[in-house]
Amino acid sequence: MSRKKIALIGGGQIGQILALIAAQKELGDVTILDIPDFENAAKGKALDLMELRPLGGYDVEINGTSNYADIAGSDVIIITAGVPRSPGMSRDDLLNVNLKIISNVAENVKKYAPNAFVIVVSNPLDAIVYSFYKVSGFPKNRIIGMAGALDSSRFKAFIAMETGYSVKDISCLVLGGHGDTMVPLSRLATVGGVPVSELISADKLTEIEDRTRMAGGEIVKLLGRGSAFFSPAQSAIEMAESFLKDKKRVIPSAALCEGEYGIDGLFIGVPCVIGSNGIEKILEVQLNDAEKTALQATVLHVEGVVKSTGL
Ligand code: APR
């Protein structure tokens, strides 16, 4: 059996961590693609990772390039090409510059790797993944946005920090857009099957929900330059791994909704079953009135950003 191929479009902060984790997990051979100005940087990172192989003991190839022909035959493509935010910026402020970049990336991916499963990470996520879908014409099961995996991980992390209990036993779901309007669903969060409402006070839970919504910005402010990269990379890897190993994990992700949750024609964060056919199913959960109102607000927000792409 030959190895799988993973192409990383964008070899910056997230791209380099993606390459490291994909190699450590031996998910397949890795190609890091960046713009010509950063081709040598991509090659340098790839060579560094090749030299780490004897220590890590992983038998995969890692290459750097700026030539799209090198992504031919990729099974998975993870796109982080684009600009991250700086302190004070919202993800939406990145739209104009990242829209141009994603259009170029989509044309090339369509040309060189038309059968790949594509995971978009670049922000503003919901509009950028929509733009990739429009420009590439990829089927909806093979194009997905990484957001909910990260937002849920942040939600879980804050619950773990509050309770002191293992992150392994925390289960929770964040719906909606990847921005300040996202909907962390405390009602469905559990620790080892015990509802969090029995472990954490209502006021504290509201605080945790707010911190989850603003978690990306909290890190942008602390870093002073660029945005989070470790946790976004691991989140995208979980999605890639579920596809490559047909694990059928249920991972909240931005998927094209066509009727689910009453949403039509938008990529929004919903629980997705990810297997070898890509997004195999969107799971629907009954929401109460307050949750429905919050979801409508996030949908309205995403719709506005998507409209401004003109696509
Ligand atoms: N093709 C390929 N790579 C590109 C292109 C392009 N057309 N345009 C830019 N890039 C590359 C940059 O050269 C850079 O190396 O994308 C990389 C982005 O890396 P960083 O600037 O370090 O950004 P990162 O932190 O990885 O975030 C990437 O993901 O989470 C989002 O908001 C974040 O939109 C940002 C993206």
Side-chain angles (χ1 to χ4, degrees):
M1 202 176 75
S2 61
R3 284 186 214 131
K4 300 286 187 186
K5 282 187 73 172
I6 298 145
L8 309 174
I9 314 297
Q13 296 269 68
I14 303 177
Q16 65 191 4
I17 305 293
L18 283 169
L20 173 66
I21 307 175
Q24 283 175 331
K25 283 178 158 276
E26 292 188 316
L27 292 185
D29 290 336
V30 177
T31 301
I32 308 171
L33 183 144
D34 213 300
I35 53 174
D37 279 356
F38 289 108
E39 178 172 28
N40 276 342
K43 284 185 188 299
K45 289 174 183 179
L47 183 58
D48 192 10
L49 286 168
M50 287 295 281
E51 292 167 5
L52 172 59
R53 290 193 326 161
L55 298 162
Y58 37 86
D59 290 309
V60 294
E61 299 279 328
I62 304 119
N63 287 293
T65 187
S66 67
N67 181 357
Y68 271 97
D70 293 334
I71 71 162
S74 292
D75 298 283
V76 173
I77 294 196
I78 307 178
I79 302 172
T80 62
V83 175
R85 30 180 188 156
S86 310
M89 285 174 96
S90 84
R91 294 182 181 91
D92 296 347
D93 295 333
L94 304 171
L95 182 66
N96 288 342
V97 50
N98 285 352
L99 184 58
K100 283 197 196 90
I101 292 173
I102 199 70
S103 302
N104 172 265
V105 172
E107 295 286 1
N108 280 297
V109 169
K110 180 181 168 184
K111 184 169 170 196
Y112 291 99
N115 299 315
F117 178 57
V118 174
I119 302 169
V120 175
V121 179
S122 315
N123 277 313
L125 189 273
D126 310 279
I128 294 295
V129 66
Y130 177 90
S131 307
F132 181 96
Y133 167 72
K134 280 289 178 185
V135 175
S136 68
F138 265 45
K140 67 174 183 176
N141 62 312
R142 283 199 285 110
I143 166 73
I144 194 164
M146 190 295 292
L150 171 61
D151 299 327
S152 303
S153 180
R154 287 172 168 161
F155 193 16
K156 286 178 195 173
F158 299 142
I159 291 171
M161 282 150 73
E162 180 61 24
T163 58
Y165 303 145
S166 171
V167 288
K168 274 201 158 186
D169 296 316
I170 300 173
S171 170
C172 63
L173 172 61
V174 178
L175 290 179
H178 187 47
D180 305 348
T181 59
M182 71 180 73
V183 186
L185 292 174
S186 287
R187 183 177 60 86
L188 301 180
T190 61
V191 183
V194 178
V196 283
S197 58
E198 300 194 17
L199 303 169
I200 301 176
S201 71
D203 284 355
K204 193 71 207 175
L205 266 179
T206 305
E207 251 176 57
I208 288 176
E209 287 179 13
D210 290 344
R211 189 171 180 195
T212 301
R213 273 189 281 269
M214 309 305 286
E218 186 180 354
I219 290 183
V220 169
K221 205 169 158 194
L222 287 168
L223 292 177
R225 202 166 154 218
S227 47
F229 47 98
F230 292 116
S231 53
Q234 181 70 44
S235 302
I237 290 288
E238 303 276 312
M239 296 162 74
E241 188 175 27
S242 192
F243 167 78
L244 288 167
K245 298 185 179 169
D246 194 26
K247 287 172 77 81
K248 304 199 192 296
R249 289 197 53 198
V250 180
I251 301 180
S253 313
L256 182 68
C257 292
E258 292 182 309
E260 295 88 354
Y261 294 91
I263 303 163
D264 202 20
L266 282 180
F267 280 78
I268 293 282
V270 286
C272 294
V273 179
I274 304 176
S276 58
N277 286 318
I279 302 174
E280 299 187 348
K281 198 173 171 31
I282 292 173
L283 301 186
E284 289 194 74
V285 56
Q286 287 293 330
L287 300 177
N288 65 29
D289 286 346
E291 291 160 352
K292 278 184 195 158
T293 305
L295 187 62
Q296 275 161 6
T298 188
V299 168
L300 218 65
H301 179 82
V302 170
E303 203 168 31
V305 184
V306 165
K307 266 203 186 116
S308 62
T309 66
L311 289 167

